[in-house]
Amino acid sequence: MLDISLLVRVHVDALIAAQNDLGVCDAIRRIAPVGKLAAMSSLHLPKVAGIDPTVPVSTHTAAPLTEVAAAPGAFIQDRLASWVSDLTTLHELTERLAGTHTLDDALHELLRAGAALVGARRGLLVLEPADGGGPSTTIGLGLAHADLGSIETVPRSVTSYGRILDGLPDAEGPLTHRDLLGDKGLDPRHREVAARLGYAASYALPLATEAAGRLGAAVWLYDEPAEPLERQRHLVGLYSRYASEHLARMLELERARTEVAILAEELLPTRLPRVPGVRLAARRLVAAKGGGDWYDALPLPDNALGLAVGSAGGSGPGALAAMGRLRASLRAYAVMEGEDPVAVLSDLELLLRLTEPARTATALFAYCEPAARKIVLSGAGHSPPLITGDRRTEFVETTLSAPLGMLACWEAPSVEFTPGPGETVLFYTDGLLRRTGDAMDRAFARLHSAAAGVPRAARHDPSAVADHVLRTMLPDGLDRSDSTEDVVVLAAYFE
């Protein structure tokens, strides 16, 4: 049987692997004719698949080959390293994009990542969904608001993003302007703005998905005449397809959140009453799915005032509907029995148990006489109010009671206290404590510290007190859409 040289088999296998797996025929190099083996101390060729290519050629071979193709070398290794680097970059950028929780954060991250991929320093992104449902916005990277305003003075039909958003036939894919200042066919206004802002080239991409259609357009700007390389175009194209899908999801979430916020606002007081001796302020932060936290303030006979906060269990439209029913019912009971907060909550508990036996709720109702600075309140599973002023900051001592709907018959004694002149009483829902992420005892301590730290100049303004407490308790942001907790703060300043 004819012996085949190990050297020949090694190089043939490497050549086939390179052609089949990598598809780069230009990576094959030729080596010098194989001669007699050098001494043992000579340099060895690299091993392939564990086989030493320096094994001597068999003497049974009739005619040794004079020239053999060498295994692909540094070129293929560089190509592989480049592909791995590109995949790693794409993975890191998409992970960062997936970590955004608001539409605005996602837009800014897309613009920054795209600029890094195409090698640009500046750019703008126009969000304008084709269905007209909004929201619509324009953001810039390395461009001030005045710069964006200057760009918007250019006729829309001659800009890259305008042609994409208007769905012109020549704007289905990327649009490249390699030399804006040297393009004689460019609109003079476009050339003037580009010269004043100092950019000489642009690269634009449509942002669209098959399900949602066109969402907007991203444009990256170069300081000198340039255009992205083919490799850069490929990478930013892959990234933009993923980013568009993410934007579509964030856009849907933003629309739902806006609708929930509008519905919640419609169910809450449009304005707070004005009663002599007390000033009011309210703040409400809505969770992504919309919770059932609510507040109310209604004038009662004899210049009295009814203040209430509460939370209906659950989230979404069901919780909002329950919130509306609870608030409307409590208003009716407060008008009839406002001087007795226990009777008001007892009636509310009976209504909840008869109409929605599977739902629970917390509530706190306070009957206030501002002229006498007297408050009588009762709570059902709700956190106690907090009094803060120049001389003290302390929680009101209330009785422990179960939430509405948990017991066959709810009843708890009321408590009476008197805020001093210049003091503010803070009513709030548990969402304020839970959003901190701390244990409840630590959250209560943080709330006490936040109220005690209100600047002296702001203590006579209930709006300033409420804003300071919210900023201190929630330093990571008041409008985080990833939160599942509503927050309600109702501040009553007694003169």
Side-chain angles (χ1 to χ4, degrees):
M1 179 180 294
L2 183 62
D3 247 347
I4 299 178
S5 167
L6 292 177
L7 179 62
V8 173
R9 277 193 284 170
V10 167
H11 289 305
V12 170
D13 289 345
L15 176 59
I16 293 174
Q19 291 175 331
N20 291 343
D21 296 338
L22 301 178
V24 280
C25 296
D26 58 348
I28 302 174
R29 297 186 289 106
R30 316 293 281 180
I31 63 172
V34 177
K36 189 174 180 180
L37 291 175
M40 292 289 291
S41 60
S42 63
L43 294 176
H44 287 253
L45 295 176
K47 293 184 179 182
V48 179
I51 303 175
D52 192 343
T54 60
V55 176
V57 179
S58 173
T59 56
H60 297 286
T61 303
L65 295 180
T66 58
E67 188 175 272
V68 181
F75 176 80
I76 291 180
Q77 293 179 0
D78 290 344
R79 288 291 296 272
L80 285 173
S82 176
W83 293 342
V84 170
S85 175
D86 291 344
L87 289 175
T88 302
T89 300
L90 280 177
H91 175 73
E92 292 176 352
L93 293 178
T94 53
E95 284 289 311
R96 286 171 52 182
L97 182 64
T100 57
H101 300 296
T102 65
L103 180 62
D104 187 64
D105 289 344
L107 294 175
H108 282 88
E109 178 59 32
L110 189 161
L111 196 55
R112 285 192 297 267
L117 289 174
V118 300
R121 293 194 310 112
R122 293 183 290 174
L124 68 151
L125 190 152
V126 181
L127 180 69
E128 189 177 297
D131 60 6
S136 298
T137 186
T138 301
I139 64 170
L141 174 67
L143 297 172
H145 288 293
D147 299 335
L148 293 175
S150 298
I151 293 175
E152 290 176 349
T153 63
V154 180
R156 179 183 171 109
S157 58
V158 302
T159 62
S160 299
Y161 68 86
R163 291 157 61 192
I164 290 174
L165 295 175
D166 292 340
L168 299 182
D170 63 339
E172 294 296 328
L175 295 179
T176 304
H177 285 101
R178 190 181 185 283
D179 188 0
L180 290 169
L181 303 181
D183 186 355
K184 302 302 181 182
L186 193 67
D187 184 273
R189 179 61 182 162
H190 196 176
R191 187 183 300 107
E192 176 188 343
V193 170
R196 186 167 73 251
L197 298 184
Y199 64 88
S202 67
Y203 182 71
L205 274 180
L207 303 174
T209 66
E210 186 174 345
R214 186 175 293 107
L215 302 175
V219 185
W220 292 280
L221 307 174
Y222 297 89
D223 296 340
E224 302 291 340
E227 61 182 342
L229 303 175
E230 184 64 30
R231 169 173 162 269
Q232 293 174 316
R233 295 177 187 231
H234 180 64
L235 288 176
V236 77
L238 292 175
Y239 179 78
S240 67
R241 285 197 288 273
Y242 173 83
S244 297
E245 295 289 346
H246 183 72
L247 283 184
R249 293 190 294 271
M250 297 302 297
L251 182 63
E252 183 179 356
L253 179 61
E254 184 70 17
R255 288 176 174 177
R257 187 168 178 244
T258 301
E259 292 173 358
V260 167
I262 293 174
L263 178 58
E265 290 298 324
E266 292 296 326
L267 293 174
L268 294 174
T270 54
R271 61 181 181 179
L272 297 173
R274 294 184 177 180
V275 177
V278 65
R279 284 184 284 146
L280 303 174
R283 298 291 185 268
R284 185 174 190 269
L285 308 179
V286 184
K289 295 183 179 180
D293 288 14
W294 54 277
Y295 68 91
D296 203 354
L298 66 156
L300 297 174
D302 300 326
N303 288 326
L305 180 67
L307 300 176
V309 290
S311 177
S315 62
L320 288 174
M323 175 190 80
R325 291 190 293 268
L326 287 172
R327 174 177 171 265
S329 301
L330 185 139
R331 290 177 71 92
Y333 299 142
V335 170
M336 296 185 296
E337 303 173 305
E339 295 183 8
D340 185 358
V342 173
V344 172
L345 293 187
S346 296
D347 293 342
L348 190 64
E349 194 275 337
L350 178 61
L351 176 70
L352 183 68
R353 183 155 44 89
L354 293 177
T355 58
E356 299 182 72
R359 188 179 298 279
T360 61
T362 66
L364 185 148
F365 177 72
Y367 177 80
C368 305
E369 297 179 7
R373 290 194 301 275
K374 185 180 75 171
I375 297 179
V376 181
L377 67 84
S378 183
H382 209 83
S383 299
L386 178 68
I387 302 177
T388 183
D390 292 336
R391 297 184 178 181
R392 62 170 175 170
T393 297
E394 61 187 25
F395 289 99
V396 177
E397 293 186 6
T398 58
T399 56
L400 184 64
S401 62
L404 302 176
M406 290 192 67
L407 300 178
C409 182
W410 178 90
E411 186 172 350
S414 61
V415 296
E416 181 178 328
F417 65 97
T418 302
E423 291 186 332
T424 300
V425 181
L426 284 176
F427 304 90
Y428 54 92
T429 58
D430 290 346
L432 177 63
L433 306 174
R434 294 196 184 100
R435 271 209 194 191
T436 63
D438 294 334
M440 292 303 287
D441 56 343
R442 293 192 61 186
F444 276 115
R446 286 184 60 176
L447 175 58
H448 184 279
S449 176
V454 175
R456 183 177 294 273
R459 289 189 176 276
H460 303 289
D461 182 359
S463 296
V465 172
D467 290 337
H468 177 85
V469 168
L470 285 174
R471 286 194 303 267
T472 306
M473 291 287 288
L474 308 174
D476 294 335
L478 304 179
D479 58 349
R480 289 188 57 181
S481 62
D482 58 330
S483 177
T484 59
E485 298 287 345
D486 279 4
V487 175
V488 162
V489 174
L490 178 62
Y493 172 78
F494 289 83
E495 298 174 343

